[in-house]
Amino acid sequence: MKKIAIQGEAGSFHDIAAHEYFSGQAVELVCCATFEEVFDSMRHDPTTIGMLAIENTIAGSLLHNYELLRQADVVIVGEHKLHIEHSICCLPQDGWESIHEVHSHPVALQQCRHFLMGHPGLKAVEAEDTAGSAEYIARHKKTGWAAICSAYAADIYGLKVLQRDIHDNKHNFTRFLVVANALEADMLFPASQATKASLVFSLPHEEGSLSKILTILSFYGINLTKIQSLPIIGHEWEYLFYVDVTFESTTRYRQSIDAITPLVRNIKILGEYAEC
């Protein structure tokens, strides 16, 4: 049994990602209201695994989660990319003629903007969670309300799907990270089998400092797939760089880390895992 901490309710996209990643395995969800609670659950029970959204092809990066990752004593052991498909759902007795409000997470509402513009009679109401909106409507029997959520959530809470695939952009994917306590990480995924790594470091405020790092990575045949900068609070115009790299040779990857370490500050390997 894998105990997985997620942000959101059962039926959320975190739930779907967890079950897809651990397909064929027994999963026990630990549903958390916030991402901070996900990390708290992992601290209280070192065997708990976290499933953490980190970026979306439309909404971009979840910047706060980068900081939570850096501060926590956890290791990335995997990643999963999930196609996000939104549906509009309501109580079984409701229909298009009776619903007048639609509730969902603000990002989901934004991703269904064109659909909502085509239904001006629906009042869009922001909520904390997509699946949580479905659960609330079902539990309180809120007639006249609808939720934008996954069809999976509608099935869990006994709602009727009025229309599927209402999102504006059909190429809507979210990338999730699978994180574990540092002492448990190697049992979940041996770092020796990794083809991808996530790093964080800061740089001296000197001309060309970042280009030197990129040149070294290129020399060792390391492919830079993402770079995200975040300001260091209390240090004006200084930044942390979160970097994802892929590689074919573990040896060359290790050599590149050794080569850049003297040129950066506070380097931390957030995880070494298999590229999805």
Side-chain angles (χ1 to χ4, degrees):
M1 174 75 73
K2 292 285 194 302
K3 185 181 288 187
I4 315 295
I6 64 168
Q7 187 276 321
E9 303 282 348
S12 66
F13 292 109
H14 277 84
D15 174 2
I16 297 172
H19 278 91
E20 286 190 2
Y21 184 84
F22 293 102
S23 177
Q25 302 182 56
V27 167
E28 176 190 348
L29 292 180
V30 180
C31 296
C32 304
T34 65
F35 288 110
E36 284 84 355
E37 288 185 22
V38 170
F39 286 96
D40 285 342
S41 296
M42 297 177 68
R43 275 192 291 271
H44 293 149
D45 181 358
T47 65
T48 298
I49 301 165
M51 178 67 70
L52 189 73
I54 199 67
E55 63 177 319
N56 176 265
T57 52
I58 298 172
S61 299
L62 282 75
L63 300 180
H64 183 52
N65 286 354
Y66 279 103
E67 188 64 13
L68 292 175
L69 267 175
R70 186 181 66 86
Q71 294 174 350
D73 186 24
V74 300
V75 177
I76 303 169
V77 295
E79 67 176 358
H80 184 70
K81 294 171 184 174
L82 178 68
H83 187 208
I84 304 299
E85 299 173 301
H86 293 301
S87 299
I88 183 166
C89 313
C90 63
L91 292 171
Q93 64 268 31
D94 270 332
W96 288 113
E97 70 286 347
S98 58
I99 61 170
H100 53 83
E101 288 188 15
V102 58
H103 295 243
S104 195
H105 190 279
V107 172
L109 294 174
Q110 178 63 26
Q111 291 177 352
C112 301
R113 186 170 57 88
H114 292 154
F115 169 83
L116 293 172
M117 289 173 61
H119 295 78
L122 290 179
K123 177 184 177 183
V125 181
E126 294 186 357
E128 292 184 357
D129 186 43
T130 55
S133 299
E135 188 275 337
Y136 186 90
I137 290 171
R139 178 160 49 93
H140 293 278
K141 296 179 170 52
K142 299 298 290 186
T143 57
W145 286 23
I148 289 177
C149 59
S150 67
Y152 172 59
D155 184 57
I156 287 177
Y157 298 113
L159 299 184
K160 177 172 64 178
V161 177
L162 288 175
Q163 186 175 332
R164 295 174 181 264
D165 297 339
I166 64 170
H167 37 285
D168 300 342
N169 192 317
K170 305 309 178 187
H171 300 282
N172 184 7
F173 290 84
T174 295
R175 176 175 166 245
F176 295 84
L177 297 177
V178 184
V179 297
N181 183 283
L183 298 177
E184 302 282 330
D186 203 53
M187 290 187 291
L188 289 166
F189 183 81
S192 59
Q193 299 177 19
T195 58
K196 187 171 184 178
S198 295
L199 324 168
V200 59
F201 52 80
S202 60
L203 290 170
H205 198 50
E206 299 172 359
E207 183 177 346
S209 57
L210 179 58
S211 64
K212 291 177 185 176
I213 303 304
L214 300 181
T215 299
I216 291 171
L217 293 176
S218 176
F219 173 79
Y220 283 97
I222 308 303
N223 182 34
L224 182 72
T225 60
K226 181 170 184 180
I227 183 166
Q228 178 77 54
S229 64
L230 289 177
I232 301 175
I233 306 301
H235 296 264
E236 294 82 1
W237 320 122
E238 293 187 28
Y239 297 87
L240 286 168
F241 293 90
Y242 292 84
V243 174
D244 289 344
V245 298
T246 60
F247 47 89
E248 295 181 359
S249 167
T250 303
T251 300
R252 296 284 282 173
Y253 159 70
R254 300 284 182 210
Q255 290 172 337
S256 73
I257 297 299
D258 290 342
I260 67 172
T261 296
L263 304 178
V264 303
R265 297 171 178 165
N266 307 313
I267 188 169
K268 181 179 182 180
I269 298 175
L270 299 173
E272 298 166 343
Y273 48 100
E275 182 183 15
C276 177

